């Protein structure tokens, strides 16, 4: 869907002022007597597609520039096994009507598999269907796992007491150390200690970061919607495709420069072509903004650059192992407990949810970074060896897939989190517009960072902010319908647990 090669047109005649124009490459403009407001959306993930969809539905001329050769960004459904596998986001967090994605998922009739209810200490799982093992392959008694879970919640409550007493922030790891010093009875030994490390491992998976980097002051500031957590059985691709239908999308268009003036923006892509519009919505991942691969002219304000620098971006990857037949317990997840959270393991059993003989190994934080240094074959073998520790008779996988969200130049990380010593309002600072540049993405969501519905909501919000700002300048606010004004028939989401 990429456009043709650029002509050798000079750009000097459109700066420092940019004429009101439609989105058009080569800095050419189609003749029109009454030009529609125009916006360039940068980034074809959930936030960017949501923004583009909303603005096109509001009669704006929109072009979406995406650096990859596919849509979806960190939402990526792979079909190479002959059935859908989400290599990125795969859960709907908060299966309820308050979730902004619920109406669309309900209308599409997409089934979900419930992996937990509300308020689980494991976030997107509960202890209804699982099997934990030690390194010797011995299964950990479930009553012990439950008891350690209660202890883990007690430790978190005590850590919150520590938070109240200290004015300065600290890491979750440091807070736990203080708790153990004050209440030695919460310190566990032997197999109980290993189970506790597994709980910590799952907490690190939720934030895609190690406990020694997660902020004590902000770790629980995100809002968790009611309704529990549901796995997208058919993947997120149908949602992306539905939102993207009919949009002007340019794939393999990597943006390198964004020039803003009072009356417009000019966006340049890697091959030198340029696009001009009234405004731009920047919906690229936080990791890409951190890498400074997009040059802003003039540069972004110091407060915006500080927000980009100070928000954390974590890494969680998936190593997907496809087997000829199922040889593991009929539970939702398998786990390996160990002396440290780094050495613990977690496998999601997709057979339980989808009927396919697939296990997904999901490392996070430093472990994910270390595994990204391996080849795909080495990474798949590493995950398989973890499995063999608990199931020595495991058969060899027939196929595998490996994600690389940390080293992929189009993402440079999985999702955002609060780092030690940094305020939670950085998400809002990242969202706030700069002149005619608007920002969207999960890292701009104060309430729902790191989530697909958070990204979707920020895309809709950026579209509405952009619509208002541009139409104020056109003096045509009354001529266009509000982006979020449609009444949509509500169809309940289909979610079950087998």
């Amino acid at each position: 869907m990429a456009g043709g090669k650029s002509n050798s047109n000079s750009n000097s005649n459109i700066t420092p002022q940019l004429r009101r124009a439609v989105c058009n490459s080569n800095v050419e403009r189609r003749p029109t007597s009454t030009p529609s407001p125009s916006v360039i959306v940068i980034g074809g993930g959930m936030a960017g597609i949501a923004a583009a969809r909303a603005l096109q539905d509001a009669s704006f001329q929109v072009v979406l520039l995406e650096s990859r050769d596919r849509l979806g960004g960190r939402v990526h459904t792979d079909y190479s096994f002959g059935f859908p596998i989400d290599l990125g986001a795969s859960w709907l967090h908060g299966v309820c009507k308050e979730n902004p994605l619920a109406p669309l998922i309900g209308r599409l009739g997409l089934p979900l598999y419930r992996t937990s209810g509300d308020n689980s200490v494991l976030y997107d799982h509960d202890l209804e269907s699982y099997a934990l093992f030690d390194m010797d392959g011995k299964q950990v008694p479930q009553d012990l796992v439950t008891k350690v879970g209660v202890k883990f919640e007690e430790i978190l409550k005590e850590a919150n007491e520590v938070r109240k007493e200290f004015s300065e922030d600290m890491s979750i790891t440091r807070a736990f150390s203080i708790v153990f010093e004050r209440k030695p009875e919460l310190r566990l030994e032997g197999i109980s200690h290993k189970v506790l490390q597994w709980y910590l491992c799952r907490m690190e998976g939720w934030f895609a970061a190690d406990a020694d980097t997660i902020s004590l002051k902000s770790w629980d500031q995100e809002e968790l919607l009611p309704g529990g957590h549901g796995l997208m059985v058919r993947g997120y691709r149908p949602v992306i495709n539905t939102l993207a239908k009919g949009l002007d999308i340019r794939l393999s268009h990597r943006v390198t420069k964004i020039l803003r003036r009072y009356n417009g923006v000019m966006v340049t892509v890697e091959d030198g072509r340029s696009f001009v519009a009234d405004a731009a919505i920047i919906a690229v991942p936080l990791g890409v903004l951190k890498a400074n691969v997009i040059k802003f002219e003039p540069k972004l304000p110091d407060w915006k650059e500080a927000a980009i620098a100070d928000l954390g971006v974590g890494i969680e990857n998936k190593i997907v192992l496809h087997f000829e037949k199922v040889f593991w317990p009929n539970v939702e997840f398998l786990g390996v407990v160990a002396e440290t959270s780094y050495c613990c393991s977690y496998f999601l059993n997709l057979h339980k949810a989808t009927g396919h003989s697939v296990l997904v190994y999901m490392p996070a934080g430093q472990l994910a970074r270390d595994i990204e240094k391996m080849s795909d074959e080495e990474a798949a073998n590493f995950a398989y060896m973890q499995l063999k520790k608990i199931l020595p008779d495991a058969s060899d996988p027939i196929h595998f897939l490996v994600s690389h969200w940390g080293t992929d130049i189009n993402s440079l990380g999985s999702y955002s989190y609060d780092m030690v010593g940094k305020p939670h309002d950085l998400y809002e600072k990242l969202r706030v517009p700069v002149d005619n540049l608007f920002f969207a993405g999960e890292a701009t969501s104060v309430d729902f960072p790191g989530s697909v519905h958070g990204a979707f909501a920020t895309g809709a919000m950026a579209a509405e902010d952009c619509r208002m700002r541009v139409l104020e300048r056109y003096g045509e606010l009354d001529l266009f319908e509000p982006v979020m004004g449609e009444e949509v028939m509500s169809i309940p989401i289909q979610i079950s647990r087998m």
Side-chain angles (χ1 to χ4, degrees):
M1 297 175 70
K5 287 190 175 181
S6 171
N7 296 328
S8 56
N9 290 14
S10 169
N11 298 343
S12 60
N13 64 328
I14 64 167
T15 57
Q17 295 184 10
L18 303 172
R19 285 175 286 160
R20 180 184 297 174
V22 298
C23 305
N24 201 4
S25 61
N26 306 327
V27 203
E28 295 177 356
R29 297 167 181 80
R30 295 188 293 271
T32 175
S33 56
T34 56
S36 298
S38 57
V39 176
I40 300 166
V41 176
I42 304 167
M46 181 61 79
I49 294 172
R53 172 84 275 144
L55 285 170
Q56 179 159 304
D57 289 349
S59 302
F60 274 54
Q61 294 192 50
V62 183
V63 63
L64 187 153
L65 306 179
E66 165 55 44
S67 61
R68 302 178 191 270
D69 60 1
R70 62 166 180 83
L71 278 179
R74 289 165 286 174
V75 173
H76 178 30
T77 309
D78 184 280
Y79 291 86
S80 61
F81 291 173
F83 48 84
I85 296 287
D86 273 327
L87 285 174
S90 52
W91 269 272
L92 182 68
H93 298 297
V95 184
C96 60
K97 63 182 181 181
E98 292 85 3
N99 192 307
L101 273 176
L104 177 55
I105 292 173
R107 288 202 309 277
L108 292 175
L110 296 174
L112 282 80
Y113 180 89
R114 189 186 301 280
T115 59
S116 81
D118 293 330
N119 303 317
S120 171
V121 68
L122 293 174
Y123 294 99
D124 47 16
H125 279 292
D126 55 30
L127 295 178
E128 182 173 313
S129 178
Y130 72 98
L132 292 189
F133 300 82
D134 65 16
M135 289 285 197
D136 297 322
K138 296 178 182 176
Q139 187 164 353
V140 181
Q142 294 200 350
D143 61 338
L144 176 61
V145 177
T146 302
K147 289 176 182 176
V148 175
V150 172
K151 286 283 187 183
F152 186 61
E153 290 186 299
E154 288 181 33
I155 293 167
L156 288 174
K157 289 177 183 176
E158 291 298 325
N160 284 340
E161 293 302 314
V162 172
R163 173 169 61 183
K164 294 174 185 176
E165 296 174 27
F166 286 79
S167 58
E168 71 275 12
D169 195 10
M170 67 181 72
S171 70
I172 290 291
T173 301
R174 174 62 184 142
F176 278 26
S177 296
I178 294 174
V179 169
F180 293 144
E181 290 168 9
R182 293 180 175 184
K183 297 203 168 184
E185 68 272 17
L186 292 177
R187 192 189 300 272
L188 303 177
E189 304 292 339
I191 188 66
S192 295
H193 166 78
K194 295 176 182 179
V195 175
L196 181 66
Q197 291 300 306
W198 185 84
Y199 275 99
L200 186 61
C201 166
R202 294 311 307 138
M203 181 182 188
E204 291 174 332
W206 180 261
F207 292 100
D210 298 308
D212 59 5
T213 68
I214 300 170
S215 164
L216 175 66
K217 284 196 179 297
S218 301
W219 74 274
D220 58 352
Q221 294 303 297
E222 64 179 307
E223 180 182 345
L224 295 177
L225 291 174
H229 305 269
L231 195 68
M232 298 288 290
V233 174
R234 297 179 192 163
Y236 263 111
R237 174 81 70 85
V239 178
I240 294 293
N241 287 348
T242 299
L243 289 170
K245 188 175 182 180
L247 297 178
D248 182 358
I249 297 167
R250 316 294 176 93
L251 298 177
S252 301
H253 278 53
R254 188 180 309 282
V255 170
T256 57
K257 182 178 176 181
I258 301 173
L259 173 69
R260 74 180 190 274
R261 291 292 184 261
Y262 75 92
N263 66 334
V265 297
M266 183 171 73
V267 176
T268 303
V269 295
E270 204 167 40
D271 66 2
R273 282 177 289 176
S274 295
F275 297 78
V276 172
D278 295 302
I281 293 178
I282 299 163
V284 302
L286 174 60
V288 173
L289 290 176
K290 281 179 172 289
N292 295 315
V293 293
I294 299 175
K295 182 180 180 182
F296 291 88
E297 287 190 11
K299 78 179 200 66
L300 295 173
D302 291 345
W303 58 266
K304 179 69 78 172
E305 290 188 339
I308 293 170
D310 291 346
L311 269 173
V313 59
I315 299 176
E316 184 176 43
N317 277 317
K318 293 183 178 180
I319 301 174
V320 186
L321 305 177
H322 181 205
F323 298 91
E324 189 170 352
K325 62 181 180 180
V326 174
F327 54 80
W328 54 87
N330 184 32
V331 293
E332 289 172 5
F333 67 88
L334 306 170
V336 182
V337 304
E339 283 291 337
T340 64
S341 62
Y342 179 92
C343 294
C344 293
S345 298
Y346 159 79
F347 289 88
L348 175 66
N349 175 19
L350 285 187
H351 184 262
K352 186 80 171 169
T354 69
H356 300 297
S357 52
V358 170
L359 292 174
V360 185
Y361 176 69
M362 296 173 64
Q366 188 58 49
L367 178 59
R369 289 187 179 87
D370 291 343
I371 293 175
E372 281 198 339
K373 298 171 186 174
M374 304 176 185
S375 67
D376 283 4
E377 292 77 9
E378 291 169 334
N381 188 61
F382 179 88
Y384 181 56
M385 288 300 103
Q386 306 310 303
L387 185 63
K388 291 275 281 187
K389 290 176 182 176
I390 60 177
L391 299 172
D393 297 328
S395 60
D396 293 341
I398 55 176
H399 304 109
F400 63 83
L401 291 168
V402 181
S403 69
H404 314 84
W405 297 114
T407 52
D408 183 338
I409 60 170
N410 300 296
S411 56
L412 299 175
S414 297
Y415 43 86
S416 58
Y417 73 98
D418 291 285
M419 291 198 299
V420 178
K422 307 301 181 183
H424 189 69
D425 67 0
L426 291 174
Y427 295 99
E428 175 65 12
K429 289 182 178 178
L430 185 57
R431 186 200 68 80
V432 173
V434 176
D435 299 327
N436 45 10
L437 300 183
F438 299 82
F439 294 80
E442 56 83 16
T444 68
S445 176
V446 176
D447 294 329
F448 311 117
S451 68
V452 181
H453 66 275
F456 176 82
T458 64
M461 185 185 303
E464 178 63 3
D465 290 346
C466 178
R467 183 189 77 88
M468 295 290 288
R469 185 78 60 89
V470 170
L471 291 184
E472 280 175 7
R473 199 168 72 242
Y474 271 67
E476 298 172 348
L477 266 176
D478 295 336
L479 300 183
F480 293 84
E481 291 296 318
V483 171
M484 302 299 290
E486 280 188 67
E487 283 295 324
V488 180
M489 181 174 65
S490 178
I491 301 176
I493 293 176
Q494 303 170 30
I495 185 163
S496 61
R497 193 172 200 171
M498 295 169 282

